[in-house]
Amino acid sequence: MSSAAAGQPADPPRETSPVEVFSIGKELLIGQIQDSNSFWLAQQITSLGGAMQRISILDDHQPTIVQALRDAIGRGAKTIITTGGLGPTPDDLTVPSVAELLGVGTHIDENVVEDHLRRRGITIEEHTPNLKRMAMIPDGSTAYPSPAGWAPLVRTEVDGCTLFSMPGPPREMEAVFARFLEEYFSAGEGAHRAVTHRVYVDMWESEVSPMLQQVMEAVPGTYCKGYIALGNQRFLPIDVVAKGEDEAAAKAALEQALDILERLIGETGRDFQRQ
């Protein structure tokens, strides 16, 4: 499959959920670097109406990566996103792992090479081994040159699942997501928008939980969660997430949910504060 030099993956409506995210790197497992990518991706995917199924951190170990991807497909994931492992060093194993999963070889993507040459202002003779390694993709996959770094987005179709291999540095990952994956999730079959609002109540989590359940039952598709670890001695923060066919519908559902929650808490004589 040829690579894409520009634009976004163009899809007819298709299932994009459930979604699984894998952050790859030993530095994440040993706590040397915090996995901020998964946190950010989950927020973005949820806001675009996607349904997260699992988030995992994997070692730089090819058999582990291959088995994790195989297991995700077996669980019915429709979209898998990996971050990391696309660099130039021997422990960057995402591409060979995906190739092993598919049972195929790898090749250097010429459009990615051309993008490297153009952006660096160099000739093919000056194209370094490290850059060549970052232009390597599995046979049958599609590469999308990154708008913010050297490692491309690599898209692979396998057994009814779309696998996106993204660079690990957060700035690059976020730019790639904005350029290519926002439209992918927005165009998905049955895609919904999601909006979130945080409120504060002077109640214990155990006191407010039955009211949150009532809100979720009254407004289908709404999710409410209190965060006791983020509260102070008096106020408990609660996130209310609502979905709709578009942003206007999501906001309308959110207002309905907030109004119901405010009424329920008001009936107890306790404080309810919107941000």
Side-chain angles (χ1 to χ4, degrees):
M1 189 179 296
S2 62
S3 64
Q8 299 179 342
D11 285 311
R14 54 179 294 166
E15 285 187 276
T16 60
S17 294
V19 183
E20 297 206 13
V21 171
F22 294 95
S23 292
I24 300 174
K26 183 178 289 292
E27 68 278 10
L28 301 172
L29 277 179
I30 64 177
Q32 185 176 1
I33 296 177
Q34 186 175 11
D35 177 24
S36 61
N37 284 350
S38 293
F39 175 82
W40 188 89
L41 283 168
Q43 287 184 319
Q44 303 306 309
I45 292 167
T46 300
S47 72
L48 294 168
M52 294 296 304
Q53 176 168 273
R54 183 172 296 206
I55 292 174
S56 306
I57 298 176
L58 303 178
D59 197 1
D60 296 310
H61 182 245
Q62 188 162 324
T64 298
I65 298 170
V66 174
Q67 189 60 52
L69 297 176
R70 187 173 290 127
D71 289 347
I73 294 169
R75 285 189 292 269
K78 294 301 182 182
T79 304
I80 297 172
I81 297 176
T82 69
T83 68
L86 298 180
T89 60
D91 62 346
D92 288 308
L93 299 171
T94 299
V95 167
S97 296
V98 174
E100 181 180 339
L101 175 71
L102 296 173
V104 301
T106 60
H107 67 277
I108 293 177
D109 187 274
E110 295 302 327
N111 280 357
V112 174
V113 172
E114 291 176 8
D115 182 67
H116 290 170
L117 301 183
R118 176 183 57 80
R119 290 165 59 196
R120 284 208 169 186
I122 59 177
T123 65
I124 189 63
E125 291 76 20
E126 298 171 294
H127 198 235
T128 66
N130 284 348
L131 286 175
K132 289 178 182 177
R133 183 177 174 88
M134 285 192 284
M136 192 79 67
I137 68 171
D139 296 342
S141 296
T142 304
Y144 298 85
S146 169
W150 303 114
L153 167 71
V154 181
R155 175 174 178 164
T156 305
E157 304 291 337
V158 50
D159 295 337
C161 176
T162 301
L163 195 163
F164 291 106
S165 303
M166 303 177 71
R171 183 182 67 87
E172 296 180 31
M173 182 275 298
E174 291 174 13
V176 165
F177 186 94
R179 177 75 174 273
F180 301 112
L181 269 68
E182 280 188 359
E183 182 175 323
Y184 167 83
F185 283 107
S186 297
E189 183 177 321
H192 288 72
R193 297 293 295 188
V195 291
T196 303
H197 192 93
R198 177 164 291 180
V199 299
Y200 293 86
V201 300
D202 64 337
M203 302 176 73
W204 295 108
E205 186 177 25
S206 58
E207 294 178 295
V208 76
S209 289
M211 300 175 192
L212 301 183
Q213 187 63 39
Q214 289 183 59
V215 172
M216 290 187 282
E217 292 173 357
V219 187
T222 299
Y223 174 72
C224 304
K225 175 65 177 178
Y227 298 100
I228 190 169
L230 300 180
N232 56 30
Q233 292 183 348
R234 181 179 177 188
F235 288 99
L236 175 73
I238 296 172
D239 279 351
V240 181
V241 183
K243 293 184 178 181
E245 293 183 357
D246 52 33
E247 188 169 359
K251 287 182 176 179
L254 177 65
E255 284 303 314
Q256 181 185 1
L258 290 171
D259 288 345
I260 293 172
L261 183 58
E262 184 172 14
R263 175 179 58 78
L264 291 172
I265 292 174
E267 291 173 354
T268 70
R270 311 293 279 276
D271 286 343
F272 176 93
Q273 298 181 1
R274 301 195 188 198
Q275 273 190 327

